[in-house]
Amino acid sequence: MESKMEQRYGLPTAISMVIGIVIGSGVFIKGGKVLALTKGNMAQGVLVVGIVGLICIICSLAFAELGSKYQKINGIVDYAEIALGPKYAYYVGWFMTTIYYPCLAAMLAFFSAVFFCELCGIPALDFFVTGTVSSQSLGLGAGFLMIGYGINMLSPKLAGKLQVSMTVIKLVPLILMAVVGTIVGLSTGATANVLDYVNTADYAAAVEGTTSFQAVFSGVASFAFAYEGWIIATSINSELKNPKRDLPLALIVGALFCTVLYCVYIFAMSCVGDVPTIIGTWPLGESLPRIAFSKIFGGVIGTIVYAFIAVGCLGVMNGLIMGSCRGLYSLSARGLGPKPGFFGKVDEQNNFVIKSSIFGMIMGGFWYAWTAIMWMYGPDFMGGLHNCMWLAWEPDEISIINLYAMYIPMFIALIVKDKEGGFFKRFVIPVLATACCVFMCYCCWVGKGYQQVIGYLIFLAVVLLIGRAFYCPKEK
């Protein structure tokens, strides 16, 4: 008898999972980076946010069309199987299980720790300047990661409820700043001052020798992190009570909501009124919202809102872990991967995939260690490895672009196989989605440089070769 997961989630959980995963530390940290990359040009900064949002919406429309037609175990793996068959689905699932889910979960655990350390007045990190990362932030991040996996393994229903509540918590500071920050900035003239910065000599000197397109391309590659996660909602496809209706609706509503909110939030940062202060918060970009909120509401309220941001960041991590726990199960349910009969077993006590979750937790630990050592200027005994661009690629951002590249065959498959769909659904949407994915890859190449991209691709090839050794479709 086939082992199946319980259909336990409704539309609110699906929508909150999309919004909850997308909205987190990304917009609060990458916002400062985008404005720094555009040299303080607020219009270009909002343009970058809008471009990535549009790409997210278009790709969501394509997956919504797929989601309305196909339902198995894990949405993204299902779609890959439809595109090029079970072997392609296996490699996509292997990538998601070993790199994408645990890598992003590890990064969010660390960023959550940074927020909480800064909230408590504990120096968290200064790795871009002095090459130091505090042991408190590293230890707290590791603790967050393990607790997150523990909650999802022992009580998946509780994890779902936490996802909904943390989504509400993290929306409070975003909506508050989007509304109040915009009003204050416009009424006090702070916004006009920021917008006029492009006419100053300082801006002219900053952009000398560069083009607007370079800034936008670099910004798109970086800000993709702030939007990523919506596709993870497909990981609970088989656990939705009405997946053919709820999944497409959740993808579209969630993506559109996040795009509008992000654009208004970034624009509202102009309430600070001082461009050097805004772009000076990068690379420690998490200080920008605290500066903005404190300027408008005072230090006490600013700190309270900052606490909301810290808790909301944990919500993103929780959503990623929800996907990570189900990663190996999605392969095992097809008779693929290492020991599918073992890792695909659903625990009878809590009707959840404990063994798959443990594997996800191990991978999360690996990526936490990799990130701390290779990218975060880790222990001194590693020497200069973290200065080598062939190894020190930013794992969260570059793996996201990797996933966009993997979407392309799925969209092409929609064109070829969706013979019942109309012209718009069969051709226009998937062609636009494919163009968006190609554009994202180009932005990564321009923004990150060939060393980081090639270095990552070599690493990816090794991971896929390891996965090939475990490709055993006949084992049950």
Side-chain angles (χ1 to χ4, degrees):
M1 183 176 180
E2 185 180 1
S3 182
K4 293 184 178 181
M5 298 278 275
E6 176 187 351
Q7 291 181 311
R8 69 189 103 211
Y9 300 131
L11 180 60
T13 298
I15 294 177
S16 66
M17 189 171 183
V18 175
I19 298 175
I21 296 173
V22 171
I23 296 176
S25 66
V27 66
F28 302 118
I29 292 178
K30 304 297 182 180
K33 182 176 183 179
V34 166
L35 293 174
L37 290 172
T38 59
K39 311 301 181 182
N41 189 320
M42 178 61 72
Q44 286 187 3
V46 175
L47 177 63
V48 166
V49 176
I51 288 175
V52 183
L54 181 61
I55 291 173
C56 179
I57 291 172
I58 292 174
C59 291
S60 294
L61 287 171
F63 274 106
E65 179 64 15
L66 284 168
S68 67
K69 296 178 179 295
Y70 309 106
Q71 174 200 355
K72 284 187 181 178
I73 304 298
N74 182 323
I76 183 64
V77 180
D78 291 339
Y79 307 147
E81 184 175 5
I82 293 165
L84 292 176
K87 180 171 286 191
Y88 182 69
Y90 170 75
Y91 284 120
V92 171
W94 184 254
F95 160 76
M96 298 290 287
T97 302
T98 58
I99 297 180
Y100 182 85
Y101 288 136
C103 169
L104 293 181
M107 290 294 289
L108 264 300
F110 178 76
F111 284 137
S112 297
V114 169
F115 280 118
F116 275 96
C117 285
E118 292 292 336
L119 184 64
C120 298
I122 301 173
L125 73 165
D126 194 22
F127 56 86
F128 280 100
V129 181
T130 63
T132 60
V133 180
S134 72
S135 58
Q136 293 95 328
S137 60
L138 282 175
L140 183 60
F144 283 154
L145 189 66
M146 296 303 102
I147 291 173
Y149 274 102
I151 292 175
N152 275 269
M153 282 189 286
L154 299 177
S155 182
K157 287 187 178 181
L158 174 60
K161 292 179 180 179
L162 286 174
Q163 191 63 37
V164 175
S165 61
M166 288 182 174
T167 297
V168 175
I169 289 174
K170 76 181 66 178
L171 286 176
V172 171
L174 270 175
I175 296 176
L176 192 63
M177 176 53 67
V179 176
V180 180
T182 300
I183 295 174
V184 171
L186 291 173
S187 61
T188 62
T191 296
N193 184 56
V194 170
L195 294 176
D196 191 57
Y197 182 74
V198 296
N199 299 318
T200 64
D202 290 340
Y203 177 76
V207 299
E208 185 178 0
T210 64
T211 65
S212 298
F213 292 107
Q214 288 177 319
V216 172
F217 290 155
S218 298
V220 167
S222 297
F223 203 74
F225 174 84
Y227 275 100
E228 192 53 29
W230 54 269
I231 191 60
I232 299 175
T234 62
S235 68
I236 61 170
N237 198 14
S238 66
E239 297 169 74
L240 292 175
K241 296 176 182 178
N242 189 354
K244 289 190 175 182
R245 183 204 67 179
D246 292 350
L247 183 60
L249 191 58
L251 289 172
I252 295 172
V253 172
L256 183 60
F257 179 86
C258 292
T259 300
V260 174
L261 187 58
Y262 273 8
C263 286
V264 179
Y265 171 82
I266 293 297
F267 182 77
M269 287 294 102
S270 62
C271 70
V272 173
D274 181 20
V275 172
T277 298
I278 294 174
I279 63 178
T281 58
W282 175 254
L284 301 180
E286 77 282 353
S287 61
L288 179 57
R290 192 170 193 173
I291 293 173
F293 279 107
S294 296
K295 182 178 180 66
I296 297 176
F297 302 105
V300 175
I301 300 298
T303 300
I304 293 175
V305 175
Y306 195 77
F308 274 60
I309 295 174
V311 174
C313 188
L314 289 174
V316 186
M317 181 197 72
N318 180 68
L320 288 161
I321 290 175
M322 288 178 75
S324 178
C325 288
R326 296 158 174 82
L328 197 55
Y329 166 73
S330 68
L331 298 178
S332 300
R334 293 168 169 77
L336 301 173
K339 301 293 182 182
F342 178 78
F343 286 105
K345 184 178 180 181
V346 178
D347 184 73
E348 296 180 358
Q349 185 173 357
N350 64 351
N351 192 38
F352 197 60
V353 284
I354 298 296
K355 298 179 179 65
S356 174
S357 300
I358 293 176
F359 181 84
M361 184 171 63
I362 292 173
M363 294 309 304
F366 166 81
W367 277 108
Y368 194 85
W370 172 282
T371 305
I373 293 173
M374 296 296 189
W375 187 69
M376 295 182 183
Y377 286 40
D380 292 337
F381 68 82
M382 295 304 296
L385 285 180
H386 47 246
N387 293 319
C388 176
M389 291 296 99
W390 297 94
L391 293 173
W393 25 266
E394 197 164 354
D396 55 336
E397 294 182 358
I398 203 164
S399 63
I400 288 170
I401 305 302
N402 186 168
L403 184 59
Y404 274 95
M406 287 181 163
Y407 291 159
I408 295 175
M410 306 179 202
F411 297 148
I412 294 175
L414 182 60
I415 297 173
V416 174
K417 297 184 178 182
D418 190 18
K419 297 181 180 180
E420 297 179 358
F423 179 80
F424 184 77
K425 290 184 177 180
R426 184 180 179 184
F427 295 103
V428 177
I429 291 178
V431 168
L432 288 176
T434 300
C436 288
C437 293
V438 173
F439 176 71
M440 292 291 278
C441 294
Y442 177 75
C443 288
C444 182
W445 180 268
V446 174
K448 298 296 181 184
Y450 76 94
Q451 289 180 314
Q452 291 192 47
V453 174
I454 295 176
Y456 171 78
L457 290 176
I458 293 173
F459 177 87
L460 175 65
V462 173
V463 172
L464 294 181
L465 284 174
I466 294 174
R468 178 65 182 87
F470 292 114
Y471 183 71
C472 46
K474 294 183 179 180
E475 182 182 349
K476 298 292 182 181

